[in-house]
Structure formats: C-alpha cells, structure tokens
Amino acid sequence: LVSESAKVPLTAREYRVARLLFENAGALVSCDKLAEDVWGLSKELSKRSIEQHIYQLRRKLRACVGDAIVLRSIYGGGYRLESSEAEPSPK
C-alpha cells in the first residue's frame, strides 16, 4: 500500500516505461520492445535514453515503495519488474 506522501511524479516517458513494465510484471521486457513502444525507434538509437529512464524509474520506485518492487536488468535481454516478496525462481 502506498501512502499519499510516497507518491512521486513521473515524466510522460517514465510513465510509459513504467506502464509497459507493470503490464508485463514478472516477464522480460526487451530493450527492442521498450524502444519501439515508448520511443518509436530502434534499440540502437535509444539505448542510452532507455538506460537513463530506467535509472530514474528505479530511483523513483525506491522512493515510493522501497524494496517491495525490484526492476532488474537482464543482461543482453532487457528488464523485468519483480515483487521482492515473490518466490525465487527455481534453478
């Protein structure tokens, strides 16, 4: 549960990134999908922008919900939004 005081403002792009990640919570969201859905560009043209928006979104999520939600980087794949209370995936 988030209190009113824990709310943080998001830019339009941060909101679109967050929405895409929350709609696909627990699943891998590729950099290609982020680039296409949020920027309308190829991954190569928007890679640095994606990284910066993920950095800011992580910072804002942490300020809002602490460690309850984790935004993981998946090397060579993209990003995955996870609940820290979720069961660890089997090996």
Side-chain angles (χ1 to χ4, degrees):
L1 219 40
V2 178
S3 70
E4 283 294 315
S5 62
K7 289 184 178 181
V8 292
L10 298 177
T11 65
R13 281 226 168 100
E14 288 169 345
Y15 175 81
R16 289 196 306 259
V17 170
R19 183 175 176 166
L20 184 60
L21 290 165
F22 275 96
E23 286 174 348
N24 295 282
L28 175 70
V29 177
S30 71
C31 289
D32 287 335
K33 177 128 179 87
L34 281 165
E36 183 180 316
D37 289 7
V38 177
W39 282 266
L41 301 170
S42 73
K43 175 179 72 171
E44 295 309 314
L45 293 174
S46 58
K47 185 175 188 223
R48 184 72 180 138
S49 189
I50 291 170
E51 291 169 357
Q52 283 301 305
H53 281 81
I54 293 292
Y55 168 79
Q56 291 298 331
L57 191 55
R58 274 191 183 119
R59 187 178 62 80
K60 290 179 179 183
L61 278 171
R62 207 172 296 119
C64 187
V65 296
D67 294 328
I69 296 174
V70 179
L71 180 49
R72 298 206 188 279
S73 297
I74 309 302
Y75 181 75
Y79 300 92
R80 181 172 45 232
L81 193 67
E82 301 173 345
S83 168
S84 62
E85 297 172 6
E87 297 278 325
S89 53
K91 294 181 181 180

